[in-house]
Amino acid sequence: VQLQASGGGLVQPGGSLRLSCAASGNIFRIVTSGWFRQVPGKQREWVASINSGGTTNYAESVKGRSTISRDNAKSTVDLQMNSLKSEDTAVYYCNVVVDTIRGRSAYWGQGTQVTVSS
């Protein structure tokens, strides 16, 4: 299973970005998809997640400003972030828990940099 993340970049405070992550491989089912972020010197933190039923959850730091969505047919998970703040600057990683012929496993994408700065 491979994950390809995209959509990061430089944006001004108050701006928006949409991150996308595409999963490929012999996947029977994507159980849960999510986004995490990490800044240098700090632990990776959970940002948002969505399960196979479409239930979403968000960290308090992004709640109300972000929307996570998934396309089961395309095996993608997107994170729309609005009203971005400087503290949102981080490397963002997508994560999926999938069922394959080998059982259930979790995978990480390669990370995409988001920089919020004027």
Side-chain angles (χ1 to χ4, degrees):
V1 175
Q2 293 185 331
L3 301 180
Q4 182 66 47
S6 61
L10 173 64
V11 62
Q12 292 186 342
S16 299
L17 275 180
R18 188 175 185 88
L19 306 182
S20 184
C21 180
S24 61
N26 293 321
I27 299 171
F28 291 163
R29 185 173 74 106
I30 297 178
V31 179
T32 302
S33 305
W35 287 91
F36 291 70
R37 66 187 182 187
Q38 188 171 23
V39 298
K42 292 189 176 181
Q43 288 189 332
R44 190 171 297 185
E45 66 172 1
W46 167 74
V47 175
S49 59
I50 182 169
N51 65 16
S52 58
T55 300
T56 58
N57 287 284
Y58 300 91
E60 285 298 321
S61 57
V62 303
K63 190 176 292 184
R65 301 187 294 120
S66 299
T67 302
I68 188 170
S69 59
R70 59 189 279 174
D71 185 327
N72 292 329
K74 297 181 180 179
S75 296
T76 58
V77 55
D78 291 352
L79 182 68
Q80 176 69 42
M81 298 188 295
N82 303 319
S83 302
L84 284 163
K85 307 174 182 179
S86 58
E87 50 263 44
D88 294 318
T89 296
V91 178
Y92 284 71
Y93 298 89
C94 59
N95 171 273
V96 296
V97 176
V98 301
D99 288 334
T100 70
I101 194 172
R102 298 180 180 179
R104 182 165 293 182
S105 299
Y107 296 87
W108 291 94
Q110 83 280 14
T112 183
Q113 177 71 47
V114 172
T115 302
V116 184
S117 175
S118 56

